[in-house]
Amino acid sequence: VREAVVSTQSTGSSGINAEYFVNEGYRSEMNDKRMSRLKHQVVKIPDSVKILFVMRMANIAGPMPQKVRKILQNMRLIEMNNAVLVQCSENMIEKIRIIEPYVTWGYPSLRSIHDLSSNMATEKQME
């Protein structure tokens, strides 16, 4: 692999080097293994939980799987440190499990929801 990278760099030809394809293949293989493990794991959610707090944290270098990118776009978590409150459902839990390496999530308390909404209200009043 190193020889292929060196040869493309020494010739000065434009294009993607072989190391990119190796990393993309490895990342894709690891993602497939992770997805197959998720099928067998069950997440138990308390019945009292109605809302989930999801925050975009990690920015993993390299190509992102198309499915992950699409879910992040739908949840409006494109940029780092964005957060959303989503309704708790089986479908949403499955989506969160797919994007789990890129986000952190949990169950917010009533106080944290109140603080977040009041902070947003004061920011809008200041504008």
Side-chain angles (χ1 to χ4, degrees), residues 44-103:
K44 294 183 181 178
I45 301 170
D47 292 334
S48 61
V49 174
K50 304 270 191 258
I51 295 177
L52 298 173
F53 181 76
V54 184
M55 184 172 184
R56 173 82 186 269
M57 295 294 287
N59 192 13
I60 299 173
M64 187 184 300
Q66 185 68 28
K67 192 172 190 178
V68 171
R69 184 178 297 122
K70 193 67 173 173
I71 293 172
L72 289 173
Q73 286 175 350
N74 288 342
M75 293 179 74
R76 297 181 181 167
L77 293 171
I78 302 299
E79 296 177 7
M80 299 298 293
N81 299 324
N82 279 3
V84 292
L85 293 169
V86 294
Q87 189 174 4
C88 183
S89 67
E90 294 290 328
N91 189 21
M92 190 56 68
I93 294 295
E94 288 177 22
K95 288 180 181 181
I96 291 173
R97 296 289 302 265
I98 291 171
I99 61 172
E100 204 163 23
Y102 302 91
V103 299

Side-chain angles (χ1 to χ4, degrees), residues 48 51 85 107-118:
S48 61
I51 295 177
L85 293 169
Y107 317 116
S109 64
L110 186 60
R111 180 179 173 99
S112 62
I113 293 173
H114 175 66
D115 291 345
L116 285 171
S117 61
S118 64

